[in-house]
Amino acid sequence: MKYLISQFLRLVPRKYLQLFSLLAAKSLSVFYLGNRVECPVCNHHYRNFLPYGRVTIRKNALCPHCLSLERHRLMYMYLKEKTGFFEAPVRLLHIAPELCFLKKFESQPTIEYITADLESPWAKVKMDVHNIPFEDDSFDVIICNHLLEHVENDIRAMAEMYRVMKPGGWGIMQVPLNPERETTYEDKTITGPLEREKHFGQKDHVREYGRDYPERLRMGGFSVEVDDYIKTLDPVLVQRHALKFGGHINFGDMIFKVQK
Ligand SMILES: [Zn+2]
């Protein structure tokens, strides 16, 4: 089973991964009936979440109903509890939109919702994040998760997001981060998929972020708040919603909130 999951994630193109995963997850959900875990995004409950992972498979990670992972569930709770995101009217730019948030954000009458990506089938606007086709000061909120590790010039992409953000606006910009690294590891001469996987952790990653990630966001123009939000939560809730990332790269343990 572990081998199948990891092969599946490696072979299905990124563009179609969420769609195929949704079909696979829905058909498996019948085996996971129960009430030990609950997804705060879709409110469905199960015996366990599905296992998930590319290299190391984490148990109890993927919601069979909405495909949320640990980091999505954590971010959703953060948005709800710490930002007022669902209360005040906002114009939202959601880059590389995650399937688990689409319906939620779309159905929210206070959100003017614009999804954007270079290749995602869910995105309404096809765009390159190096050249965002919107005017300066256009958005109250920008959400852009797990994209910057794929783009050629991340500082330029950050500067573009800063440009289109309204003064006083804010955003969430999560990346996979290796806390063992003091500085972000980048090498433009590494271009082959297998080499990239070996050096940066995945065949379509072009760098591996280190502890200097907030500094890079500041280079893009933002002020940055790093919130160890998960540590403020009741451990019973952390377990119930399976919020903790189990692998060696702690994707989801910190929330990176940027402001203009
Ligand atoms: Zn869910």
Side-chain angles (χ1 to χ4, degrees):
M1 178 75 170
K2 282 187 174 183
Y3 177 77
L4 282 177
I5 293 168
S6 127
Q7 284 307 305
F8 172 77
L9 293 173
R10 288 160 68 107
L11 293 174
V12 174
R14 184 169 169 260
K15 192 173 164 182
Y16 301 112
L17 188 59
Q18 294 199 88
L19 183 64
F20 279 102
S21 302
L22 188 66
L23 296 172
K26 291 233 175 190
S27 50
L28 284 170
S29 67
V30 63
F31 302 110
Y32 284 79
L33 296 177
N35 194 14
R36 237 181 8 213
V37 297
E38 184 188 351
C39 173
V41 182
C42 69
N43 300 318
H44 282 70
H45 51 77
Y46 299 96
R47 182 165 53 85
N48 278 308
F49 292 119
L50 293 166
Y52 189 87
R54 279 167 199 267
V55 184
T56 317
I57 306 288
R58 286 123 49 208
K59 285 181 188 165
N60 200 28
L62 182 79
C63 172
H65 184 78
C66 74
L67 295 189
S68 71
L69 291 169
E70 302 92 329
R71 60 189 164 88
H72 303 127
R73 296 190 287 274
L74 183 69
M75 195 193 90
Y76 189 79
M77 291 178 68
Y78 179 86
L79 285 175
K80 244 174 114 172
E81 282 181 22
K82 300 267 292 199
T83 67
F85 176 70
F86 292 103
E87 289 138 40
V90 290
R91 186 161 195 243
L92 165 67
L93 178 63
H94 191 183
I95 304 175
E98 299 97 332
L99 193 55
C100 63
F101 296 137
L102 280 182
K103 274 191 197 151
K104 278 276 170 181
F105 293 174
E106 235 157 24
S107 65
Q108 188 69 25
T110 53
I111 299 176
E112 186 189 337
Y113 188 34
I114 293 148
T115 49
D117 193 85
L118 196 58
E119 52 180 29
S120 164
W122 320 115
K124 286 181 200 139
V125 178
K126 299 283 168 228
M127 70 165 211
D128 179 352
V129 74
H130 297 94
N131 290 294
I132 300 181
F134 288 99
E135 305 264 301
D136 297 359
D137 309 337
S138 294
F139 297 96
D140 302 288
V141 179
I142 298 178
I143 296 176
C144 176
N145 296 323
H146 286 236
L147 175 79
L148 291 166
E149 69 277 15
H150 299 270
V151 307
E152 195 188 310
N153 186 338
D154 61 335
I155 309 290
R156 160 119 195 214
M158 291 164 188
E160 272 294 273
M161 291 193 272
Y162 181 81
R163 180 183 66 75
V164 300
M165 184 181 281
K166 289 182 191 172
W170 57 272
I172 307 283
M173 292 175 193
Q174 302 295 100
V175 290
L177 189 148
N178 182 353
E180 306 286 305
R181 283 197 188 284
E182 193 183 331
T183 52
T184 295
Y185 172 47
E186 224 177 352
D187 182 343
K188 304 273 185 208
T189 65
I190 299 170
T191 53
L194 288 176
E195 284 292 287
R196 280 181 169 169
E197 182 165 358
K198 194 173 126 201
H199 286 264
F200 310 128
Q202 203 172 296
K203 63 186 178 193
D204 54 353
H205 287 183
V206 300
R207 66 185 62 80
E208 184 177 68
Y209 286 106
R211 297 195 301 275
D212 64 340
Y213 176 57
E215 286 310 312
R216 292 178 83 89
L217 288 166
R218 286 183 194 110
M219 282 160 73
F222 293 110
S223 28
V224 184
E225 193 186 305
V226 183
D227 196 328
D228 218 349
Y229 171 62
I230 193 165
K231 292 205 177 133
T232 67
L233 295 172
D234 181 345
V236 177
L237 211 63
V238 172
Q239 210 165 15
R240 171 97 180 138
H241 296 321
L243 302 177
K244 245 186 197 159
F245 183 83
H248 63 289
I249 298 174
N250 56 349
F251 285 8
D253 286 359
M254 303 270 193
I255 302 278
F256 295 96
K257 187 182 180 203
V258 298
Q259 276 164 305
K260 178 170 176 179

